[in-house]
Amino acid sequence: MTEISQSEKLLARRKICVADGVGVFNTVTVKEAKGALITDVDGKEFIDFAGGIGVVNAGHCPEPVVKAIQEQAAKYIHTSFNVVTYEPYIALCEQLAEILPHGDHTKSMLVSMGAEAVENAIKIARQATKRQAVLCYTSAYHGRTMMAMTLTSKINYKINCGPFAPEVYRLPFPNYYRYADGDTLEEYTIQELKRLRESGLNLVDPKNLAAIIIELIQGEGGFNVAPQKYMEGLRAFCDKHGIMLIFDEVQSGFGRTGKWASWQNYGVVPDISTYAKSLGSGMPIGAVVGKADVMDAALPGTIGGTFIGNPLSCVAALATIQFIKDNNLNERANEIGEIIRNRFLELQKHHSEIGDVRGIGAMIGVEFIKENDPTHPNKALCTAIIERCAQNGLILLNAGNYKNVIRILCPLVITDQQLIQGLDIIEEALLHYKNMGRLQPVETQPSF
Ligand SMILES: Cc1ncc(COP(=O)(O)O)c(C=O)c1O
């Protein structure tokens, strides 16, 4: 009789007491995690290419972050920033203004997570413009609270959760790879900007639009990268009509794309932007950052909350930012991205199933297709590769409407040797399934 592992026991307990709707990507458990490695409850080691869904860009448990949390916990854990003022909140807002300037004067509000940042960004934009409508995009993911879920595109995340918030309109995301249909990037972008302008005639009056919210590189949507000229055109459209441009940087922020925010790669400045995930190295914290006059348009009482900018999370975020600076993790993201991109571009030459390799910095997605056709997603191959990787010691995530994209969100402290080992595991899995000549039927994974 085979012995039941500690991991299996834990997963069995999970099944009994945790709601099924709290999905899970794979069956790996954790006892401890450090840097880019996770050790499960049976002592097996995994290389982490998921980073807790893009949360540990600075690695698991960076020492200065752990120390800052411990020291702060001994002083005070919670007083609520809505009740008394504490220094770490102020220091973090000062840091955010310095590294993410939104013009001459930048202000911030701190929250606890990405969806909450999005909710507040919309409330602030509405108050700043005294308008109601919001424009968002297909394949967008903005979170699971009610406005964030309304803005989120994928149906799977929303089944039977409505009614959703009113006055939300949606345009196709400018996904060149999937929808170009033979056009050059320039032709395609011109077309999509025309669609944006026409939306003022056939979708929503721009005079009623408070905000347009976009991920410059879509996270859950499949690491789709908005074209540079599209973003410039979007900025011009917002300026022309007095619309607040909101960049959702929850997944792409804090080093992932080689900058503090992906918009810094474009040189297009938002009115408001949202952050969470890697800001706090795993402590729950989010931020809404924006032009001071826009941020100040929100009336006292309309934004806030008991746990906003919890002191432990603030010191964790301050230590994380310092750690990213001290270890040049923004530059390291570009090196990591190069290694990943080159490996997959090489594989693509021999394997037509790899339809696209894309991204900025270390935010790299690899899209699997069938029959050389970008409109034929290969979910089965992608799922099988991820499952085999987990068996072979690599934690990996999918993305995209069809779950046919591998997205790499490894900690930026990963060593070259760990990175290459992880890529070797993916390559082995790809070859394994190719050599089998066909794919076994794969059970559908629940979403996370
Ligand atoms: C772009 C983006 N916005 C918002 C969110 C929601 O963040 P949270 O899960 O912290 O609420 C996510 C989460 O994946 C995200 O990727």
Side-chain angles (χ1 to χ4, degrees), residues 53 112-116 118 141-144 215 217 219-220 248-252 274 276-277 407 448:
I53 324 179
S112 305
M113 61 182 201
E116 197 186 356
V118 168
Y141 184 85
H142 296 291
R144 289 191 177 91
E215 299 157 86
I217 309 177
E220 305 302 313
D248 184 346
E249 294 278 351
V250 167
Q251 193 153 154
S252 49
T274 54
K277 291 198 186 267
R407 56 171 149 164
F448 69 98

Side-chain angles (χ1 to χ4, degrees), residues 278-306:
S278 276
L279 170 57
S281 288
M283 290 298 284
I285 186 151
V288 187
V289 183
K291 296 187 159 82
D293 55 336
V294 174
M295 296 296 289
D296 285 341
L299 296 173
T302 61
I303 56 175
T306 307

Side-chain angles (χ1 to χ4, degrees), residues 135 137 171-174 185-200 212 214 226-238 241:
L135 190 64
Y137 286 87
L171 276 182
F173 184 83
L185 180 61
E186 202 186 343
E187 290 163 344
Y188 175 75
T189 306
I190 290 170
Q191 195 56 38
E192 290 307 303
L193 283 172
K194 198 163 135 203
R195 193 200 295 272
L196 170 70
R197 284 190 296 273
E198 279 181 3
S199 73
I212 300 182
I214 188 167
Q228 171 76 31
K229 292 275 180 237
Y230 186 86
M231 293 314 303
E232 290 169 13
L234 189 58
R235 180 67 272 181
F237 182 80
C238 288
H241 297 288

Side-chain angles (χ1 to χ4, degrees), residues 49 336 339-340 410 414-423:
F49 271 17
I336 289 171
I339 295 172
I340 299 169
C410 58
I414 195 165
T415 64
D416 279 0
Q417 196 242 329
Q418 291 164 340
L419 181 61
I420 289 161
Q421 196 182 334
L423 294 171

